[in-house]
Amino acid sequence: MKLGIVGLPNVGKSTLFNAVTNAGAEAANYPFCTIEPNVGIAPVRDERLDKLAEMYSPEKYTPAVLEIVDIAGLVKGASNGEGLGNKFLSHIREVDAILHVVRCFENDDITHVEGAIDPARDIDIINLELILSDIELLERRIDRSKKLLKGDKSYQTEINLFERVLAHLQDGKNARTMEFTDDEAAIMDTIPLLSRKKVIYAANLDESGISDPGSNEMYRRVVEIAEAEGSNVVPVCAEIEAQIVAMEPDDRELFMAEYGLESSGLERIVTAGYKLLGLISFLTAGPKEVRAWTITEGTRAPQAAGKIHSDFERGFIRAEIIAYSDLMACGNMNAAKEKGLVRSEGKEYVMKDGDVTLFRFNV
């Protein structure tokens, strides 16, 4: 899963980025601190993988990963060259979803580029800049398609669709609020519109607010906006997350308990991202490696095998599968086989979250 962080300057973007990726990007109290885009990788914690590692004592332990791209804070007019953010929007056009950091706390020591805290206004500013950037991209694509139309009339379908989307964007609406047929969606997939991507709002609260986000009026406003557009909201405190990442595991749990946190901000963001994007994980396990593989819900066994290697998909014979819970209940794979819990599945099998899998294939 790959997320692109957006937000106004000084809302906690880089602090949160540092915390969830431990990448050490600069974070300071002035606009445009992030000059070059930062890319960080964070492992996706999965207790199932930990249990499999205890069972197999593998040479390698490979969790799924979350890739996060942090760009300079956007400001009003970014699409027209104001600030630095627009320069880097191209870096997040290929991400799976947008992580939009919204400031939901007061602090006189941390300046706000708009002079006052207003989450709804801040969200509108960012959304508008993404829309304006998409309009520019879409207009170029329409012009190109019209030139190609002279030699191939099939481009008229694409032009008609793009012009409908363009009109929607020009009304100030996100492309993700539009509905498309399967054929139209396939065409739309060829142009990476930022305003069509799904969004996770990271509502950045202060230490006093993270224990009870619902009591924060600014947070509640972000939730209202997200619910209206089908997005997700994750309450975080970037400062607390920065402290959590520097702690030993035992200290971390005690510290989080003080704030009533059952999981870290990273874990909550990952959970929200998987849910929003319809992602699941299947697992492979053995003495050489235990590993989690991220796939989309509805993926069939051969395509899942292709995530490991293209040869696995081309030469797919069958998948030997056991549910993770069944394997844990049996204690080991041999006991599971004796009880008939290891299934042989063919090409039409739809993978399920937590399937512990061995693929058989022809070279």
Side-chain angles (χ1 to χ4, degrees), residues 28-61:
N29 180 27
Y30 56 91
F32 318 127
C33 169
T34 306
I35 304 301
E36 294 297 328
N38 296 299
V39 180
I41 301 293
V44 175
R45 183 183 177 190
D46 191 330
E47 292 183 357
R48 299 172 301 186
L49 213 59
D50 295 338
K51 294 295 184 181
L52 290 173
E54 291 176 10
M55 181 179 291
Y56 286 98
S57 300
E59 296 173 15
K60 290 180 64 178
Y61 176 98

Side-chain angles (χ1 to χ4, degrees), residues 57-330:
S57 300
E59 296 173 15
K60 290 180 64 178
Y61 176 98
T62 311
V65 295
L66 170 66
E67 182 176 344
I68 300 182
V69 183
D70 177 27
I71 64 170
L74 298 173
V75 295
K76 190 182 296 182
S79 57
N80 294 321
E82 294 294 327
L84 298 172
N86 188 52
K87 177 182 176 183
F88 303 115
L89 283 177
S90 61
H91 292 281
I92 59 171
R93 286 204 176 274
E94 303 306 324
V95 299
D96 299 312
I98 299 293
L99 181 63
H100 185 163
V101 183
V102 185
R103 180 172 167 178
C104 294
F105 66 89
E106 299 280 358
N107 188 326
D108 293 338
D109 295 329
I110 301 177
T111 59
H112 191 288
V113 71
E114 291 293 319
I117 311 301
D118 184 341
R121 178 209 57 211
D122 294 353
I123 288 172
D124 284 343
I125 289 173
I126 297 299
N127 283 342
L128 181 58
E129 295 308 320
L130 299 185
I131 288 169
L132 291 172
S133 180
D134 282 350
I135 287 174
E136 181 183 343
L137 180 65
L138 200 52
E139 287 177 337
R140 291 201 305 268
R141 178 64 176 267
I142 291 171
D143 287 343
R144 192 189 78 175
S145 296
K146 285 182 175 178
K147 291 176 182 177
L148 294 170
L149 180 64
K150 296 176 183 178
D152 186 347
K153 297 302 180 184
S154 66
Y155 279 95
Q156 189 62 56
T157 300
E158 179 178 291
I159 293 169
N160 293 342
L161 173 60
F162 287 158
E163 287 182 339
R164 176 159 62 91
V165 177
L166 180 61
H168 186 82
L169 296 177
Q170 289 171 334
D171 283 340
K173 301 174 184 176
N174 291 304
R176 64 178 172 272
T177 61
M178 297 186 71
E179 294 184 1
F180 301 104
T181 66
D182 290 344
D183 289 342
E184 288 173 339
I187 295 173
M188 292 304 302
D189 287 344
T190 67
I191 183 166
L193 297 183
L194 291 168
S195 69
R196 186 172 172 240
K197 295 184 184 298
K198 296 185 177 182
V199 174
I200 302 168
Y201 289 104
N204 191 14
L205 303 152
D206 59 17
E207 293 187 7
S208 63
I210 192 62
S211 297
D212 184 17
S215 65
N216 183 304
E217 183 179 348
M218 291 182 283
Y219 171 76
R220 293 198 302 269
R221 183 68 184 113
V222 176
V223 171
E224 290 175 5
I225 293 169
E227 288 179 347
E229 63 179 42
S231 299
N232 285 7
V233 181
V234 177
V236 297
C237 175
E239 289 297 332
I240 286 179
E241 296 301 324
Q243 296 175 61
I244 288 173
V245 75
M247 294 179 177
E248 295 297 324
D250 290 343
D251 295 335
R252 187 180 304 162
E253 290 185 11
L254 291 172
F255 180 75
M256 288 169 58
E258 290 181 14
Y259 290 95
L261 300 175
E262 296 180 358
S263 58
S264 69
L266 170 60
E267 290 167 331
R268 296 195 298 277
I269 289 169
V270 167
T271 299
Y274 270 57
K275 180 179 178 181
L276 191 66
L277 296 170
L279 302 176
I280 61 173
S281 295
F282 73 90
L283 313 169
T284 53
K288 289 189 175 181
E289 183 181 35
V290 296
R291 183 162 181 167
W293 304 84
T294 302
I295 55 175
T296 304
E297 284 183 291
T299 298
R300 298 188 186 278
Q303 287 68 52
K307 290 285 289 186
I308 300 175
H309 197 286
S310 57
D311 287 348
F312 286 27
E313 182 175 357
R314 282 194 297 268
F316 179 87
I317 300 174
R318 67 181 184 276
E320 295 179 5
I321 292 175
I322 180 172
Y324 167 81
S325 58
D326 288 340
L327 178 57
M328 290 298 107
C330 292

